[in-house]
CSV table of all heavy atoms in Angstrom, one decimal:
chain,number,residue,atom,x,y,z
A,322,TRP,N,-15.0,8.0,-20.1
A,322,TRP,CA,-14.9,8.7,-18.8
A,322,TRP,C,-14.0,7.9,-17.9
A,322,TRP,O,-14.2,6.7,-17.7
A,322,TRP,CB,-16.3,8.7,-18.1
A,322,TRP,CG,-17.2,9.7,-18.6
A,322,TRP,CD1,-17.8,9.7,-19.9
A,322,TRP,CD2,-17.7,10.9,-18.0
A,322,TRP,NE1,-18.6,10.8,-20.0
A,322,TRP,CE2,-18.6,11.5,-18.9
A,322,TRP,CE3,-17.5,11.5,-16.7
A,322,TRP,CZ2,-19.3,12.7,-18.6
A,322,TRP,CZ3,-18.2,12.6,-16.4
A,322,TRP,CH2,-19.1,13.3,-17.3
A,323,LEU,N,-13.0,8.6,-17.3
A,323,LEU,CA,-12.1,8.0,-16.3
A,323,LEU,C,-12.4,8.8,-15.0
A,323,LEU,O,-12.3,10.0,-14.9
A,323,LEU,CB,-10.6,8.2,-16.7
A,323,LEU,CG,-9.7,7.8,-15.6
A,323,LEU,CD1,-9.8,6.3,-15.2
A,323,LEU,CD2,-8.2,8.1,-16.1
A,324,ILE,N,-12.8,8.0,-14.0
A,324,ILE,CA,-13.1,8.7,-12.7
A,324,ILE,C,-12.0,8.3,-11.8
A,324,ILE,O,-11.5,7.2,-11.8
A,324,ILE,CB,-14.4,7.9,-12.1
A,324,ILE,CG1,-15.6,7.8,-13.1
A,324,ILE,CG2,-14.8,8.7,-10.9
A,324,ILE,CD1,-16.1,9.0,-13.7
A,325,VAL,N,-11.4,9.3,-11.2
A,325,VAL,CA,-10.2,9.1,-10.3
A,325,VAL,C,-10.5,9.6,-8.9
A,325,VAL,O,-10.8,10.8,-8.7
A,325,VAL,CB,-9.0,9.9,-10.9
A,325,VAL,CG1,-7.8,9.5,-10.1
A,325,VAL,CG2,-8.8,9.5,-12.4
A,326,GLY,N,-10.4,8.6,-8.0
A,326,GLY,CA,-10.5,8.9,-6.6
A,326,GLY,C,-9.1,9.0,-6.0
A,326,GLY,O,-8.1,9.1,-6.6
A,327,GLU,N,-9.2,9.0,-4.6
A,327,GLU,CA,-7.9,9.2,-3.8
A,327,GLU,C,-7.1,7.9,-3.6
A,327,GLU,O,-6.0,7.8,-4.1
A,327,GLU,CB,-8.4,9.8,-2.5
A,327,GLU,CG,-7.4,10.0,-1.4
A,327,GLU,CD,-8.0,10.5,-0.2
A,327,GLU,OE1,-9.1,11.2,-0.3
A,327,GLU,OE2,-7.4,10.3,0.9
A,328,ALA,N,-7.7,6.9,-2.9
A,328,ALA,CA,-6.9,5.7,-2.6
A,328,ALA,C,-8.0,4.7,-2.1
A,328,ALA,O,-9.1,5.1,-1.7
A,328,ALA,CB,-5.9,6.0,-1.5
A,340,PHE,N,-14.0,1.9,-5.0
A,340,PHE,CA,-15.3,2.4,-4.7
A,340,PHE,C,-16.4,1.3,-4.7
A,340,PHE,O,-17.3,1.3,-5.4
A,340,PHE,CB,-15.6,3.5,-5.8
A,340,PHE,CG,-15.0,4.8,-5.6
A,340,PHE,CD1,-14.0,5.1,-6.4
A,340,PHE,CD2,-15.4,5.7,-4.6
A,340,PHE,CE1,-13.3,6.4,-6.2
A,340,PHE,CE2,-14.8,6.9,-4.4
A,340,PHE,CZ,-13.7,7.3,-5.2
A,348,LEU,N,-21.3,7.1,-5.5
A,348,LEU,CA,-20.7,7.4,-6.8
A,348,LEU,C,-21.5,6.7,-8.0
A,348,LEU,O,-21.7,7.3,-8.9
A,348,LEU,CB,-19.2,6.9,-6.8
A,348,LEU,CG,-18.5,7.1,-8.1
A,348,LEU,CD1,-18.3,8.6,-8.4
A,348,LEU,CD2,-17.1,6.4,-8.1
A,363,PHE,N,-14.4,3.9,-16.5
A,363,PHE,CA,-13.3,3.3,-15.8
A,363,PHE,C,-13.1,4.1,-14.6
A,363,PHE,O,-13.1,5.3,-14.6
A,363,PHE,CB,-12.1,3.3,-16.8
A,363,PHE,CG,-11.0,2.2,-16.4
A,363,PHE,CD1,-11.1,0.9,-16.8
A,363,PHE,CD2,-10.1,2.6,-15.4
A,363,PHE,CE1,-10.1,0.0,-16.4
A,363,PHE,CE2,-9.1,1.6,-14.9
A,363,PHE,CZ,-9.2,0.3,-15.4
A,364,ILE,N,-12.8,3.3,-13.5
A,364,ILE,CA,-12.6,3.9,-12.2
A,364,ILE,C,-11.3,3.5,-11.6
A,364,ILE,O,-11.0,2.3,-11.6
A,364,ILE,CB,-13.7,3.5,-11.2
A,364,ILE,CG1,-15.1,3.8,-11.8
A,364,ILE,CG2,-13.6,4.2,-9.8
A,364,ILE,CD1,-16.3,3.3,-10.9
A,365,ALA,N,-10.6,4.5,-11.2
A,365,ALA,CA,-9.2,4.2,-10.6
A,365,ALA,C,-9.0,5.2,-9.5
A,365,ALA,O,-9.8,6.1,-9.2
A,365,ALA,CB,-8.1,4.3,-11.7
A,366,ASN,N,-7.8,5.0,-8.8
A,366,ASN,CA,-7.4,6.0,-7.7
A,366,ASN,C,-6.0,6.5,-8.1
A,366,ASN,O,-5.3,5.9,-8.8
A,366,ASN,CB,-7.4,5.3,-6.5
A,366,ASN,CG,-8.8,5.0,-5.9
A,366,ASN,OD1,-9.5,6.0,-5.7
A,366,ASN,ND2,-9.2,3.8,-5.6
A,367,VAL,N,-5.7,7.6,-7.4
A,367,VAL,CA,-4.4,8.1,-7.4
A,367,VAL,C,-3.4,7.1,-6.9
A,367,VAL,O,-2.3,6.8,-7.5
A,367,VAL,CB,-4.2,9.4,-6.7
A,367,VAL,CG1,-2.8,9.9,-6.4
A,367,VAL,CG2,-5.0,10.6,-7.4
A,368,LEU,N,-3.7,6.5,-5.7
A,368,LEU,CA,-3.0,5.4,-5.1
A,368,LEU,C,-3.6,4.1,-5.4
A,368,LEU,O,-4.8,3.9,-5.3
A,368,LEU,CB,-2.8,5.6,-3.6
A,368,LEU,CG,-2.0,6.8,-3.1
A,368,LEU,CD1,-1.8,6.5,-1.5
A,368,LEU,CD2,-0.7,7.0,-3.7
A,369,LYS,N,-2.7,3.0,-5.7
A,369,LYS,CA,-3.3,1.7,-5.8
A,369,LYS,C,-3.3,0.9,-4.5
A,369,LYS,O,-3.8,-0.2,-4.6
A,369,LYS,CB,-2.4,0.9,-6.9
A,369,LYS,CG,-2.2,1.7,-8.2
A,369,LYS,CD,-3.5,1.9,-9.0
A,369,LYS,CE,-3.3,2.4,-10.3
A,369,LYS,NZ,-4.2,3.6,-10.7
A,387,LEU,N,1.7,7.5,-9.5
A,387,LEU,CA,1.1,8.3,-10.6
A,387,LEU,C,1.5,7.7,-12.0
A,387,LEU,O,0.7,7.7,-12.9
A,387,LEU,CB,1.3,9.8,-10.5
A,387,LEU,CG,0.3,10.5,-9.7
A,387,LEU,CD1,0.6,11.9,-9.4
A,387,LEU,CD2,-1.1,10.5,-10.4
A,390,LEU,N,-1.1,5.3,-13.1
A,390,LEU,CA,-2.3,6.0,-13.6
A,390,LEU,C,-2.1,6.6,-15.0
A,390,LEU,O,-2.9,6.6,-15.9
A,390,LEU,CB,-2.8,7.0,-12.6
A,390,LEU,CG,-4.1,7.8,-13.0
A,390,LEU,CD1,-5.2,6.8,-13.0
A,390,LEU,CD2,-4.4,9.0,-12.1
A,393,GLN,N,-2.3,4.0,-17.5
A,393,GLN,CA,-3.8,3.6,-17.7
A,393,GLN,C,-4.4,4.7,-18.6
A,393,GLN,O,-5.2,4.3,-19.5
A,393,GLN,CB,-4.5,3.6,-16.3
A,393,GLN,CG,-4.1,2.4,-15.5
A,393,GLN,CD,-4.7,2.4,-14.1
A,393,GLN,OE1,-4.7,3.4,-13.4
A,393,GLN,NE2,-5.4,1.3,-13.8
A,394,ILE,N,-4.1,6.0,-18.4
A,394,ILE,CA,-4.7,7.0,-19.3
A,394,ILE,C,-4.2,6.8,-20.6
A,394,ILE,O,-5.0,7.0,-21.6
A,394,ILE,CB,-4.3,8.4,-18.7
A,394,ILE,CG1,-5.0,8.6,-17.3
A,394,ILE,CG2,-4.7,9.5,-19.6
A,394,ILE,CD1,-4.5,9.7,-16.5
A,401,ILE,N,-12.6,12.4,-21.1
A,401,ILE,CA,-12.7,13.2,-19.9
A,401,ILE,C,-12.3,12.5,-18.7
A,401,ILE,O,-12.6,11.3,-18.6
A,401,ILE,CB,-14.2,13.8,-19.8
A,401,ILE,CG1,-14.1,14.9,-18.6
A,401,ILE,CG2,-15.2,12.8,-19.5
A,401,ILE,CD1,-15.4,15.8,-18.7
A,402,MET,N,-11.7,13.2,-17.8
A,402,MET,CA,-11.4,12.7,-16.4
A,402,MET,C,-12.2,13.4,-15.4
A,402,MET,O,-12.4,14.7,-15.6
A,402,MET,CB,-9.9,12.9,-16.1
A,402,MET,CG,-9.0,12.0,-17.0
A,402,MET,SD,-7.2,12.4,-16.8
A,402,MET,CE,-6.9,12.0,-15.0
A,403,LEU,N,-12.7,12.7,-14.5
A,403,LEU,CA,-13.5,13.3,-13.4
A,403,LEU,C,-12.8,13.0,-12.1
A,403,LEU,O,-12.7,11.9,-11.7
A,403,LEU,CB,-14.9,12.8,-13.3
A,403,LEU,CG,-15.8,13.4,-12.2
A,403,LEU,CD1,-16.2,14.8,-12.6
A,403,LEU,CD2,-17.1,12.5,-12.1
A,404,ALA,N,-12.1,14.1,-11.5
A,404,ALA,CA,-11.4,13.9,-10.2
A,404,ALA,C,-12.4,14.0,-9.1
A,404,ALA,O,-13.0,15.1,-9.0
A,404,ALA,CB,-10.2,14.8,-10.1
A,405,VAL,N,-12.5,13.0,-8.3
A,405,VAL,CA,-13.5,13.1,-7.2
A,405,VAL,C,-12.7,13.4,-5.8
A,405,VAL,O,-12.0,12.6,-5.5
A,405,VAL,CB,-14.5,11.9,-7.1
A,405,VAL,CG1,-15.3,11.9,-8.3
A,405,VAL,CG2,-13.8,10.6,-6.9
A,406,GLY,N,-13.0,14.6,-5.3
A,406,GLY,CA,-12.3,14.9,-4.0
A,406,GLY,C,-11.2,15.7,-4.2
A,406,GLY,O,-10.4,15.8,-5.2
A,408,ILE,N,-8.3,15.6,-2.6
A,408,ILE,CA,-6.9,14.9,-2.6
A,408,ILE,C,-6.6,14.5,-4.1
A,408,ILE,O,-5.4,14.7,-4.6
A,408,ILE,CB,-6.8,13.7,-1.7
A,408,ILE,CG1,-7.1,14.1,-0.3
A,408,ILE,CG2,-5.6,12.9,-1.8
A,408,ILE,CD1,-6.1,14.8,0.4
A,409,ALA,N,-7.6,13.8,-4.8
A,409,ALA,CA,-7.3,13.4,-6.1
A,409,ALA,C,-7.0,14.6,-7.0
A,409,ALA,O,-6.1,14.6,-7.8
A,409,ALA,CB,-8.6,12.6,-6.6
A,410,ALA,N,-7.9,15.7,-6.9
A,410,ALA,CA,-7.7,16.8,-7.7
A,410,ALA,C,-6.4,17.5,-7.5
A,410,ALA,O,-5.7,17.8,-8.5
A,410,ALA,CB,-8.9,17.8,-7.4
A,413,LEU,N,-3.6,15.3,-8.9
A,413,LEU,CA,-3.5,15.2,-10.4
A,413,LEU,C,-3.1,16.6,-11.0
A,413,LEU,O,-2.4,16.5,-12.1
A,413,LEU,CB,-4.9,14.8,-10.9
A,413,LEU,CG,-5.4,13.4,-10.6
A,413,LEU,CD1,-6.8,13.2,-11.0
A,413,LEU,CD2,-4.4,12.4,-11.3
A,430,PHE,N,-5.1,17.4,-18.1
A,430,PHE,CA,-4.2,16.5,-17.4
A,430,PHE,C,-3.0,16.0,-18.3
A,430,PHE,O,-3.2,15.5,-19.3
A,430,PHE,CB,-4.9,15.3,-16.9
A,430,PHE,CG,-4.0,14.3,-16.2
A,430,PHE,CD1,-3.6,14.5,-14.9
A,430,PHE,CD2,-3.4,13.2,-16.8
A,430,PHE,CE1,-2.7,13.7,-14.2
A,430,PHE,CE2,-2.5,12.4,-16.2
A,430,PHE,CZ,-2.2,12.6,-14.9
A,437,LEU,N,-10.1,17.7,-17.8
A,437,LEU,CA,-10.3,17.1,-16.4
A,437,LEU,C,-11.2,18.1,-15.6
A,437,LEU,O,-11.0,19.3,-15.6
A,437,LEU,CB,-8.9,17.0,-15.6
A,437,LEU,CG,-8.9,16.4,-14.3
A,437,LEU,CD1,-7.6,15.7,-14.0
A,437,LEU,CD2,-9.3,17.3,-13.1
A,438,VAL,N,-12.2,17.5,-15.0
A,438,VAL,CA,-13.3,18.2,-14.2
A,438,VAL,C,-13.2,17.7,-12.8
A,438,VAL,O,-13.0,16.5,-12.6
A,438,VAL,CB,-14.7,18.1,-14.9
A,438,VAL,CG1,-15.8,18.7,-13.9
A,438,VAL,CG2,-14.7,18.9,-16.3
A,440,THR,N,-14.9,17.4,-8.9
A,440,THR,CA,-16.1,17.5,-8.1
A,440,THR,C,-15.8,16.9,-6.6
A,440,THR,O,-14.7,16.5,-6.4
A,440,THR,CB,-17.3,16.8,-8.7
A,440,THR,OG1,-18.5,17.1,-8.0
A,440,THR,CG2,-17.2,15.3,-8.7
A,442,HIS,N,-15.8,14.5,-3.3
A,442,HIS,CA,-15.7,13.1,-3.1
A,442,HIS,C,-17.1,12.6,-2.6
A,442,HIS,O,-17.7,13.2,-1.7
A,442,HIS,CB,-14.7,12.8,-2.1
A,442,HIS,CG,-14.2,11.4,-2.0
A,442,HIS,ND1,-15.0,10.4,-1.5
A,442,HIS,CD2,-13.1,10.8,-2.6
A,442,HIS,CE1,-14.4,9.3,-1.6
A,442,HIS,NE2,-13.3,9.5,-2.2
A,443,PRO,N,-17.6,11.4,-3.0
A,443,PRO,CA,-18.9,10.9,-2.5
A,443,PRO,C,-18.8,10.7,-1.0
A,443,PRO,O,-19.9,10.8,-0.3
A,443,PRO,CB,-19.1,9.6,-3.2
A,443,PRO,CG,-17.8,9.3,-3.9
A,443,PRO,CD,-17.1,10.6,-4.1
Side-chain angles (χ1 to χ4, degrees):
W322 286 64
L323 171 61
I324 318 298
V325 185
E327 173 181 337
F340 284 104
L348 178 65
F363 198 92
I364 306 176
N366 283 306
V367 168
L368 293 191
K369 307 299 190 221
L387 271 170
L390 182 67
Q393 287 177 309
I394 293 164
I401 188 164
M402 292 171 65
L403 182 69
V405 296
I408 301 285
L413 293 172
F430 178 81
L437 184 153
V438 169
T440 193
H442 196 286

